[in-house]
Amino acid sequence: MSKKLLLDKIGIEGIKGFEVYRREGGYKSVEKAFKMQPNDIVEEVKKSGLRGRGGAGFPTGMKWSFLAKPEGVARYLVCNADESEPGTFKDRYLMEFIPHLLIEGMIVSSYTLGSKISYIYIRGEYDWITDILENAIEEARQNGFLGKNILDSGFDCEIYVHRGAGAYICGEETALLESLEGKRGLPRIKPPFPAVKGVWGSPTVVNNVETIAAIVPIINEGGEAYSKIGVGRSTGTKLISACGNINKPGVYEIDMTISVEEFIFSDEYCGGIPNGKRLKACIPGGSSVPILPANLLLKTAKGETRLMNYESLADGGFVTGSMMGSGGFIVLDEDQCVVRHTLTLARFYHHESCGQCSPCREGTGWMEKVFTKIENGKGEMKDIDLLWDIQRKIEGNTICPLGDAAAWPVAAAIRHFRDEFEWHVLNPEECLKRNYGLAHYADELQAPVTA
Amino acid sequence: MAEEIKKEPPANFKITIDNITIEVPPGTTILNAARMIGPEVAPPAMCYYSKLKDSGGKCRTCLVEVAAGSTADPRPMPKLVASCRTNVMDGMVVKNVTSEKTLDARKGVVEFLLINHPLDCPICDQAGECHLQDLSYEHGVVQTRYEFKRRAFVREDIGPYIQLHMTRCILCYRCVYVADQLTDNRVHGILDRGDHSDISTYISKAIENDFSGNMIDVCPVGALTDRTFRFKNRVWFLKPMDAHRDCDKCCGKVTLWNRGDEVYRVTTRKDQWGEVQNDENGKPMWICNNCRFDKKQTSDWVIEKPTSINRHSVISANHYQVKVMPHDPLDKLLNGRSPLLLMDIHEESKVNQQDVHLDELFGPATGKTFNGEPLATGHNVTDIKEGVGANTQGTDSTNPGTH
Ligand SMILES: Cc1cc2nc3c(=O)[nH]c(=O)nc-3n(C[C@H](O)[C@H](O)[C@H](O)COP(=O)(O)O)c2cc1C
Ligand code: SF4
Ligand code: SF4
Ligand code: FES
């Protein structure tokens, strides 16, 4: 059983409420942090090796140290709770069942960054969680952990929950800030970065829910101790939301030393694939990251066991690897059609593109149309190359990473499942009636020849 | 301890674009540095407009490769950057037309901009001064790979002066910035998102505040057109002239577009990048709606001189700018004789008679057409049916049925 730092108390009755949470040792990190200098806390976070849990995996301590601190200008902490990436629902679980953990992390982080007004930007569809969070904020305030002069430290802090209106793009940090300011959720052109000019033109840090929650155990146990959990640059624990063709979908806290195979097949986690079906493919980190066929998922191209951590999932780059992303783990069994699956994602990105920049605005819709054509048995061989060319011309040429996020799944699907696409083209009638099946996607890979 | 030796930052930054080096003040964008060198190396810009704050960054046609970030950090930048929104660094090396990557990406952007464009240039007022046309000629490909239905919107009159063809819009946001920065109240904006984004007033309000007409001038395509000029003439038949009048609202310095004595339209004066010109104090010479829409008499204006138009522009065709009239050698050649050469062809020949209208024929003209059977044509026209392709509205083939 791996160590749990975030969800260890989730089973305790009443942990949603302040009293039980506090009795179980909650808000200790606030007391501890107030005795420390903000700069020392940043050092502690740097030592912990914590990497942002929102998708990009940027080192949190480093992000915090970049925050500009001009005299007399307010600074802000914004928690990104927009969680709209298909397959990702870990933040929801955390906020719904142990909301005080996020509030506690927010207070410590706000103190560290000098943010007297902090925001939680939550996706509009999580309306009931807004109530849960506001309730937790109110409880914290009544117990003196929010408001003026918290615990006599001289530090004032307020937290506001702001509901989005249901756009995926508002999870992108600068679009989020625009939306928070009451404008259209359009990503800003960077630079300037939020650390210099964020919300209301002031220096701002945007962090994911899980990132902020992880500050609590880092303060309690120390950065050093936190960094000892996990391997390499994948320190601490990570929440994974697992879904798709598995026996036990749900949110799991893992330390990043277990293998992908163990995660899918052991009873402690996903519990294997239902109905005796075989594993075909998996998107290990949310809809934006490359899909991998079973063989490359379980073993890297070098033939090593693939582990559930940042480095190992990315081993092989985009050619034979994928990414940890936001931890949305989507499993596909042999009955799933990769073309259809990728069409669904293409439709999603088409629908969610903000439309500011031409490659993403026009390219995402085009890809969806070509996918629909192939999936409906009307595709031609040239359409596969066309898809490849469209995604290539979107990737890297847009304002925000949504363009890349739309391109990568398409590239990976064609790279690894090209024969499934070709089968659709060559069997226009059959492809409407049955799926391509597992084919060779789980076959043992030849060990690479080394000179 | 000795004080840290602070090197004075160089007054000017050295930047090399397509192997040409220039010095520019810090804070200059790559695009503007390239414009200082000249049009050969200046990347095309569809959304950036130097006179509109915050514009740019959206269309991605100005992407360039940065082969070296600066002298201090000479690493290349991993991605192409939008030159209109990236500032130069000292020692930066930029590749525009010398970069395969740039040209390839730009080709992609042009293709993206065109897949949903109606390509109705033959009936579009902007033709001849459309930046999308220029861009496509220079960076586009001949054939489209797009085989689906194009996005279409219904045409809309937004107020008495401006017509919006959303189908042609490339979402450069320039008109939104004009409304924000020049008029007293913005009543239009972008509704919805993604490829169904729609420029609109919220529930068909009219745009009529002063200076709103400048939106027409900044629109790089034919999405916003002047209703008082609609279908009146092709721009290349008009004669542009710089003119001015005393105006209490604006600078009153405009370009008149005449045919004969008639003023067909009034626009701002444009510089070589297609942007409104600055006056001697560096202020953009935007014009008010009164000058633009209501002063359509030559007598309203003091005419200064013919507008100089870039000779590559179709508008400059037939506008010869020469100092000495060419000498006509004909008289000398004829030497007093009057040869048959100068006879009126219509009197001498059976073909090509003025009372036979070629545009009313359904096929090629033959001898018969001019020989008492004015509607007779050649044989290879059986597949041309009457009415097909005809413009029943007589005006515009986009969204027939709406006027
Ligand atoms: C299109 C798009 C959507 C995103 N959605 C989310 C999201 O829902 N939640 C999130 O935490 N980060 C999201 N991100 C990442 C954020 O931009 C940002 O990197 C993150 O909030 C930083 O937090 P971290 O450093 O704690 O990971 C998204 C990014 C993009 C480009
Ligand atoms: S990449 Fe897409 S979502 Fe991002 S700014 Fe451009 S159009 Fe908007
Ligand atoms: S209407 Fe014209 S100016 Fe306005 S966004 Fe569209 S193309 Fe740009
Ligand atoms: S001109 Fe630079 S992105 Fe449009």
Side-chain angles (χ1 to χ4, degrees), chain A residues 1-4 253 255 258 262 268-269:
Chain A
M1 185 104 162
S2 63
K3 190 161 170 71
K4 289 196 169 54
E253 182 171 6
D255 72 22
I258 62 167
E262 183 187 348
E268 192 184 339
Y269 302 108

Side-chain angles (χ1 to χ4, degrees), chain B residues 84-378:
Chain B
C84 66
R85 292 291 294 252
T86 310
N87 284 355
V88 301
M89 302 293 282
D90 195 29
M92 191 183 247
V93 178
V94 172
K95 289 162 94 185
N96 177 28
V97 291
T98 50
S99 158
E100 290 285 328
K101 254 165 87 184
T102 299
L103 294 181
D104 183 52
R106 198 168 287 157
K107 208 176 250 175
V109 173
V110 179
E111 185 173 29
F112 287 135
L113 286 175
L114 288 177
I115 60 172
N116 275 309
H117 191 81
L119 299 175
D120 58 345
C121 311
I123 49 130
C124 174
D125 278 330
Q126 189 86 359
E129 52 181 15
C130 173
H131 290 225
L132 189 57
Q133 278 187 329
D134 298 346
L135 184 76
S136 314
Y137 276 123
E138 215 164 308
H139 297 281
V141 286
V142 178
Q143 263 198 326
T144 181
R145 295 183 290 173
Y146 187 77
E147 45 183 14
F148 306 97
K149 241 173 125 171
R150 282 161 201 264
R151 167 187 65 214
F153 295 86
V154 174
R155 236 180 316 141
E156 189 187 343
D157 285 334
I158 40 178
Y161 299 129
I162 304 176
Q163 186 169 74
L164 168 69
H165 271 71
M166 188 58 212
T167 312
R168 295 177 187 152
C169 170
I170 59 155
L171 286 166
C172 70
Y173 287 58
R174 282 178 181 180
C175 58
V176 180
Y177 293 119
V178 164
D180 266 339
Q181 294 168 29
L182 292 182
T183 69
D184 47 8
N185 187 15
R186 172 156 71 87
V187 295
H188 88 294
I190 294 171
L191 305 182
D192 229 316
R193 70 166 179 232
D195 62 4
H196 41 285
S197 298
D198 186 4
I199 296 271
S200 187
T201 54
Y202 192 59
I203 322 200
S204 298
K205 256 176 139 175
I207 296 185
E208 45 193 357
N209 19 10
D210 249 334
F211 289 87
S212 58
N214 292 298
M215 295 191 321
I216 300 167
D217 284 357
V218 302
C219 183
V221 294
L224 296 173
T225 49
D226 181 343
R227 283 187 67 196
T228 67
F229 174 60
R230 229 171 109 65
F231 297 136
K232 291 249 168 71
N233 229 302
R234 308 263 36 168
V235 290
W236 55 86
F237 292 139
L238 302 179
K239 199 163 67 182
M241 289 177 302
D242 288 357
H244 68 263
R245 65 181 276 272
D246 273 336
C247 176
D248 51 7
K249 288 190 188 134
C250 68
C251 63
K253 294 190 175 119
V254 302
T255 299
L256 294 186
W257 297 76
N258 276 30
R259 187 158 181 178
D261 284 339
E262 201 179 335
V263 178
Y264 272 77
R265 66 167 182 169
V266 182
T267 66
T268 52
R269 295 185 190 172
K270 304 238 178 124
D271 65 14
Q272 68 165 317
W273 314 111
E275 294 185 3
V276 54
Q277 281 178 19
N278 284 338
D279 64 13
E280 54 279 3
N281 302 318
K283 242 183 96 196
M285 297 194 287
W286 303 111
I287 61 171
C288 67
N289 284 5
N290 190 22
C291 285
R292 183 187 299 269
F293 299 115
D294 302 331
K295 299 291 169 201
K296 294 282 182 81
Q297 304 291 325
T298 313
S299 56
D300 290 330
W301 298 95
V302 181
I303 291 172
E304 297 168 16
K305 61 173 180 8
T307 304
S308 75
I309 300 273
N310 186 310
R311 68 183 175 83
H312 297 294
S313 163
V314 52
I315 299 173
S316 73
N318 304 325
H319 294 280
Y320 296 114
Q321 290 181 335
V322 280
K323 297 216 168 64
V324 189
M325 279 296 284
H327 152 80
D328 185 354
L330 194 64
D331 278 348
K332 201 173 154 204
L333 274 176
L334 293 179
N335 199 12
R337 288 175 295 133
S338 57
L340 280 174
L341 198 73
L342 296 180
M343 285 186 307
D344 183 345
I345 190 159
H346 298 296
E347 286 168 15
E348 297 304 314
S349 165
K350 281 202 176 125
V351 297
N352 229 4
Q353 290 168 31
Q354 276 165 314
D355 52 346
V356 176
H357 291 283
L358 293 178
D359 58 347
E360 285 173 5
L361 301 180
F362 292 115
T366 65
K368 276 188 184 173
T369 320
F370 302 101
N371 221 350
E373 284 183 64
L375 287 179
T377 63

Side-chain angles (χ1 to χ4, degrees), chain A residues 169 186-187 352-358 360-361 398-404:
Chain A
I169 190 59
L186 302 182
E352 297 296 339
S353 162
C354 85
Q356 255 191 118
C357 47
S358 354
C360 170
R361 177 182 67 235
T398 56
I399 295 175
C400 88
L402 189 140
D404 303 337

Side-chain angles (χ1 to χ4, degrees), chain B residues 362-398:
Chain B
F362 292 115
T366 65
K368 276 188 184 173
T369 320
F370 302 101
N371 221 350
E373 284 183 64
L375 287 179
T377 63
H379 300 297
N380 54 343
V381 292
T382 46
D383 52 346
I384 298 179
K385 293 191 199 83
E386 193 171 347
V388 174
N391 185 344
T392 48
Q393 302 291 325
T395 48
D396 188 340
S397 68
T398 52

Side-chain angles (χ1 to χ4, degrees), chain A residues 316-377:
Chain A
F318 277 8
V319 180
T320 59
S322 184
M323 272 168 81
M324 175 67 116
S326 59
F329 195 85
I330 309 170
V331 179
L332 277 68
D333 72 13
E334 59 188 299
D335 287 347
Q336 308 308 316
C337 169
V338 170
V339 176
R340 185 171 193 81
H341 184 81
T342 319
L343 160 64
T344 313
L345 296 183
R347 186 187 304 131
F348 173 78
Y349 289 109
H350 173 210
H351 184 254
E352 297 296 339
S353 162
C354 85
Q356 255 191 118
C357 47
S358 354
C360 170
R361 177 182 67 235
E362 306 293 346
T364 49
W366 193 2
M367 290 201 296
E368 186 198 338
K369 292 190 178 82
V370 180
F371 263 110
T372 309
K373 186 180 162 196
I374 299 176
E375 172 62 15
N376 288 334

Side-chain angles (χ1 to χ4, degrees), chain B residues 31 44-48 56-63 82-85:
Chain B
L31 182 91
M46 296 295 287
C47 67
Y48 172 76
K58 297 186 168 39
C59 70
R60 318 306 282 179
T61 54
C62 70
L63 291 174
S83 60
C84 66
R85 292 291 294 252

Side-chain angles (χ1 to χ4, degrees), chain A residues 59 97 105 197 418 425:
Chain A
F97 296 107
K197 226 171 154 208
R418 193 176 179 110
V425 172

